[in-house]
Amino acid sequence: MILLVGNIKGGTGKSTVAQTLAVILRMLGFDVLLIDADPQLTSSDWAAERVSFIEAGGKGVSVPCAILRGEISTPLNDFKKRYDHIIIDVGASDSVALRHSMAVADYMVLPFRPKRRDLKTLPKVVEVVNLAQALNPGLKVRALVNQCPSLPNRVSRILTAKDTIRAWGIPTLDNVLFDRQAYDDADEDGSSVWEFTDPKAIEDATAMVHELWANEPSIHAALQRVGAQA
């Protein structure tokens, strides 16, 4: 499986989502490669920090990472022969790397914050997605409402974001990721939310991956084996 985490809008938490998905797949025993196709190199920097974190005695599994740019479909197809799963973190723009990733990916996760500035990009996002699916009919696209406020009086903002995205025809996960400090704290030392002991953050992430991969038999079975809190 090639799974792309991307959006044309910056600041939506793409890198954190990509890292979270890559780590859980490694924890489940799969051979995983994280691709950093973002010029900011956020995921490759995190992967290097993770090596130091583990070498210093930190709990966790290593996550191989490669940097790709531009016309990346050819190396992606080569990597697909060597790894069980590939997670791609692509830059926040309608780039060559984004288009090439969408041409060969099996899944695309589109993170959106429940904010007007993110939702305003939906017309352009839909245009890019429709073009990609015309070239790659097997591409499954799911929006993820990310960095959600956890205060009860902000629930309406989350629901509005889901309804708006769905109104543009993009299937949207019911589960969301809340804006929890655990993600930032974990990122600072190369760990992930799975190793950072915040039960609420782990619960959010676990629900998200169960829903995202409910129709992927091997992943779903592995998640069922390890239990609710992978």
Side-chain angles (χ1 to χ4, degrees):
M1 177 187 67
I2 297 178
L3 186 147
L4 164 66
V5 183
N7 203 320
I8 62 174
K9 174 73 176 64
T12 61
K14 297 180 292 74
S15 296
T16 299
V17 172
Q19 294 156 18
T20 299
L21 296 178
V23 172
I24 187 59
L25 286 172
R26 285 286 291 117
M27 291 172 63
L28 293 173
F30 294 104
D31 200 6
V32 179
L33 178 65
L34 176 62
I35 297 288
D36 192 339
D38 185 341
Q40 294 186 19
L41 297 177
T42 303
S43 281
S44 57
D45 287 346
W46 168 84
E49 291 170 353
R50 186 170 179 83
V51 171
S52 299
F53 168 72
I54 294 171
E55 288 177 347
K59 176 186 176 184
V61 289
S62 62
V63 178
C65 183
I67 298 172
L68 294 179
R69 294 285 181 272
E71 298 180 358
I72 67 175
S73 55
T74 298
L76 283 175
N77 280 321
D78 180 54
F79 282 133
K80 190 173 184 178
K81 301 171 186 176
R82 298 155 53 188
Y83 292 90
D84 297 325
H85 302 295
I86 298 170
I87 306 294
I88 309 169
D89 173 17
V90 73
S93 65
D94 183 9
S95 64
V96 173
L98 175 63
R99 298 268 182 159
H100 273 247
S101 299
M102 295 173 78
V104 298
D106 302 294
Y107 278 85
M108 181 176 187
V109 175
L110 285 161
F112 288 90
R113 294 171 299 180
K115 296 184 177 183
R116 186 170 179 268
R117 66 178 71 97
D118 285 20
L119 301 177
K120 283 174 65 177
T121 66
L122 277 164
K124 179 62 175 177
V125 170
V126 169
E127 177 186 332
V128 173
V129 167
N130 287 344
L131 178 58
Q133 289 183 318
L135 298 172
N136 179 9
L139 177 65
K140 304 177 184 69
V141 178
R142 299 291 182 270
L144 166 68
V145 184
N146 192 30
Q147 299 179 4
C148 295
S150 56
L151 295 174
N153 62 356
R154 300 295 181 91
V155 170
S156 61
R157 178 180 291 185
I158 300 170
L159 296 176
T160 297
K162 288 182 182 179
D163 288 344
T164 303
I165 298 167
R166 287 168 177 158
W168 279 93
I170 300 178
T172 304
L173 297 177
D174 290 325
N175 289 285
V176 304
L177 295 183
F178 288 94
D179 187 12
R180 302 195 188 279
Q181 187 62 38
Y183 290 99
D184 289 336
D185 291 344
D187 179 72
E188 288 179 2
D189 62 7
S191 61
S192 76
V193 68
W194 305 108
E195 294 103 22
F196 204 85
T197 53
D198 179 335
K200 290 184 177 180
I202 293 174
E203 182 180 355
D204 298 341
T206 301
M208 182 266 292
V209 298
H210 272 278
E211 182 181 3
L212 177 63
W213 287 321
N215 294 319
E216 288 292 332
S218 63
I219 300 177
H220 186 65
L223 286 166
Q224 294 296 107
R225 284 198 302 271
V226 300
Q229 290 193 353

